Each structure stands twice: as structure tokens, then as C-alpha cells.
Amino acid sequence: MRLWLVRIGLGAGLLILSLYLWRFAFPSPEHVIRKQLSALARLACIAPDEASLVKLAKSQRLASFFTRDAEVTVDFPGRFPQSITGRDELMQVALTARTGLKKLKVEFLDLEVKVGPDGQSGDAHFTVKADVPGEGTPQVEELEAHLLRVDGEWLIQHVQNVRTLR
Amino acid sequence: MTNVEPVSEPPSWLRRLVIGRNPKRTLVRMVVWVVAVVLISRFVLLPIRVQGISMMPTYKPGSVNFVNCVAYLRHPPQRGDVVGIKLAGRHVMYMKRVIGLPGETITFHDGHVFINGELLDEPYLKFPCNWEHEPEQIDQNEYYVVGDNRSMDFYDHEQGRSKRDRIVGRILL
């Protein structure tokens, strides 16, 4: 009886381990997009005393998360709408921000991912929280991103802010 | 012949204080408490920490409060209620006061709020305000929300119409 129970336990353990390994080896597109966006948030953070070369490298890496024709449009109330088009402009904006800010902490919260039926495109909806030293309150914005699968890699094609209060 | 039975010593007062007389019962009680606290803090009373100055002086930055997520199960939000409004999810919420109800028209003139042309009495406002904003129609299933600190610039202050499904609940304290 006991041996029987041990066998069942071992079988269940093996099944869970196999499922975990399967998910690790063949992650779902949702999981890949989540990982990608989490990596982007980490990359957007600015550590104090970042060397110039590191700033440049991180800005280039950040731009590589986007498609070549990517477009970022943000329209915050009371400020002029901003639009950034293409990887080069994105890299320049990222580099300018890294040069101007001493420290920045970025988090993507409440990330919700939907993959299209074709499996080649996806949409992400999340809240970005940016903590800038010196500013008492963290900046929060609701964003939507559209991603495309390009050469097996999920890249952001379009980002826009969502007006929580209209 | 004398039989000697081992006498078990009574548990020390410290052990009794920490895990009780019956450890099994204590464990069950602990599990019940933990489950109850997790369920309540997720689905009934959501703990929050206030950040920002838009609800000053009613709610100061750094203060802790709760969102009562079951407050609007039986009735819709009322004018004057302070509510939590979710963004993409519940990790970050706006804390605002409901001043306009579905179907109403709201206007800001000389810092005062007019609902369908009638002045709204707002005793909770303590700071001066000079906001001007043209009449705005609130759609059905929407509420107009704003903070209590209207000494800020109109466009620096996050306010406007919120869909009903974004309102998570009423602020408890």
C-alpha cells in the first residue's frame, strides 16, 4: 500500500517537473512577451554614476526592443503630444534621458498580454511607474503596446498611452 | 514490585504562550487566519498607501488606508464618495472624489463646480481654486472624479470621467 502511494507521489512529481521543463524549453508567446517587457523595464532603469559608454550601450539595447519603424505616441493632459518614430530617434531620446537623469526606477505593473490568433502579433496593456529622485510622487501612466514577431523575436511596433480619466 | 511510569512534564509557559496547549489546533487556527487575511485583503478590503498631493488635505501622502471593494455591490457610487480607480490593474490606483454622476453636465467656473447649472456645495475643499472648464456631459456608466486639492493647476491635476468598471471601491477611512 505504502509503495503504491510512493509511486503515485513520484509520478505526480515527475509530471510537474516535466511540465515545468516543457514550459522552460518551449515557453508560450505570452510568457516570452512578459519576459521581454520585464527586461525592457529593467533596461529603462538608470543606475547612479552610469558611465557614458554604459549609457550608450543601454540606449542601443533599449532601442533594439522595438521594430525599425516603431512609433511611440504619448498624449498627457496639459502637455504637448509627443511622437517618437523609428529606432534611431528612440535611441536618441533614451540617451538624452539617461544623460539628463541621475537615477530612475521603472516598473511595469499589472501586465496583461494577448496574442493574436495568427501567433505573430500581440498586445500588452500595463501600468508604467517611474520613480524619479527629487520628484516626491512617482509618475504613473497606463500604456498599450502592440508587438510583432520578427525573425522569432517579439518586438514592439507601437506604444500609446491610455487615458484612464477622460 | 513497583511500576514506575514516566511523568510527562507540563509544557513551559513560554511554549504555551507561543504555540498554545494544543499545537495541532493552533496550526489549524493559523492556517484559517492566514487564508482569511489573504482573501479579505485581496477581495474585500484592499490595503493602499496614499502617494501624491491631489487629495490633500483630506488624505495626506504616506497615509495608509483601505479600498472597500464590496461597497458598490448593492448600490452605485454616490456623489461625495472617495473611490479607488484602477489603471491597468489594482497595483496602482487613483484616489479621487466622485462629484458628477451619469448623465449630468459638469462645469468649473471661478473654482466652483456646477452640476446641471447648479452650484455644488463642497465642504471638504480647504484650498483656494480658480479653475475654469467648459460644460462637459458625463456619459451613462461614467462618473466625474476629481481630487480635493484644487489649488493645483487644472491640467496638472489628474481628473475627469471614469468608467464604472474602473472604480474598484470606496475608500474606507
Side-chain angles (χ1 to χ4, degrees), chain B residues 6 8 41 46 48 62 95 99 102 106 114 122 136 146 156 173:
Chain B
S8 60
S41 64
L46 212 60
I48 52 162
M95 186 197 240
I99 58 165
I106 189 162
F114 292 84
E122 295 185 282
E136 193 171 333
V146 64
D156 285 342
L173 306 170

Side-chain angles (χ1 to χ4, degrees), chain A residues 133-155:
Chain A
E135 288 187 19
T137 313
Q139 297 290 314
V140 287
E141 282 300 333
E142 199 176 336
L143 296 180
E144 269 178 355
H146 183 69
L147 295 98
L148 287 179
R149 198 171 191 172
V150 182
D151 299 330
E153 206 179 350
W154 285 97
L155 300 177

Side-chain angles (χ1 to χ4, degrees), chain A residues 109-110 126-127 137 142 164 166, chain B residues 52 88-89 91 142 160-161 166:
Chain A
L109 303 165
D110 298 314
F126 54 97
T127 303
T137 313
E142 199 176 336
T164 311
R166 300 184 301 130
Chain B
H91 272 94
E142 280 187 343
R161 289 174 286 135
R166 280 191 181 268

Side-chain angles (χ1 to χ4, degrees), chain A residues 76-119:
Chain A
F76 302 129
R79 294 175 201 170
F80 290 110
Q82 277 196 331
S83 183
I84 306 163
T85 313
R87 254 188 210 165
D88 295 339
E89 197 181 342
L90 262 162
M91 201 208 78
Q92 282 305 319
V93 171
L95 189 60
T96 310
R98 292 198 102 86
T99 314
L101 290 168
K102 284 182 180 168
K103 196 183 168 191
L104 177 70
K105 189 185 171 195
V106 179
E107 286 176 279
F108 291 169
L109 303 165
D110 298 314
L111 190 54
E112 196 186 297
V113 177
K114 278 180 193 159
V115 176
D118 57 349

Side-chain angles (χ1 to χ4, degrees), chain A residues 30-109:
Chain A
E30 284 94 345
H31 186 75
V32 176
I33 292 173
R34 276 174 188 279
K35 259 181 91 173
Q36 185 87 336
L37 289 172
S38 300
L40 178 66
R42 279 197 301 275
L43 205 61
C45 295
I46 302 172
D49 305 325
E50 231 174 39
S52 304
L53 215 59
V54 175
K55 283 185 205 290
L56 182 68
K58 283 193 171 176
S59 302
Q60 279 175 337
R61 176 89 183 97
L62 193 135
S64 73
F65 280 74
F66 294 80
T67 58
R68 286 188 189 283
D69 62 343
E71 197 178 2
V72 178
T73 45
V74 283
D75 180 11
F76 302 129
R79 294 175 201 170
F80 290 110
Q82 277 196 331
S83 183
I84 306 163
T85 313
R87 254 188 210 165
D88 295 339
E89 197 181 342
L90 262 162
M91 201 208 78
Q92 282 305 319
V93 171
L95 189 60
T96 310
R98 292 198 102 86
T99 314
L101 290 168
K102 284 182 180 168
K103 196 183 168 191
L104 177 70
K105 189 185 171 195
V106 179
E107 286 176 279
F108 291 169
L109 303 165

Side-chain angles (χ1 to χ4, degrees), chain A residues 76-79 109-112 125-129 131 136-138 140-143 162-166, chain B residues 51-53 85-92 94 96 136 139 142 144-145 155 158-163 166:
Chain A
F76 302 129
R79 294 175 201 170
L109 303 165
D110 298 314
L111 190 54
E112 196 186 297
H125 179 211
F126 54 97
T127 303
V128 60
K129 184 178 169 192
D131 213 339
T137 313
V140 287
E141 282 300 333
E142 199 176 336
L143 296 180
V162 178
R163 293 283 299 275
T164 311
L165 302 178
R166 300 184 301 130
Chain B
Q51 288 185 317
I53 56 166
I85 297 158
K86 66 176 181 183
L87 281 85
R90 292 177 168 198
H91 272 94
V92 181
Y94 286 138
K96 301 286 171 192
E136 193 171 333
D139 292 344
E142 280 187 343
Y144 199 97
V145 295
Y155 291 106
E158 199 71 50
Q159 30 86 43
R161 289 174 286 135
S162 166
K163 293 266 183 213
R166 280 191 181 268

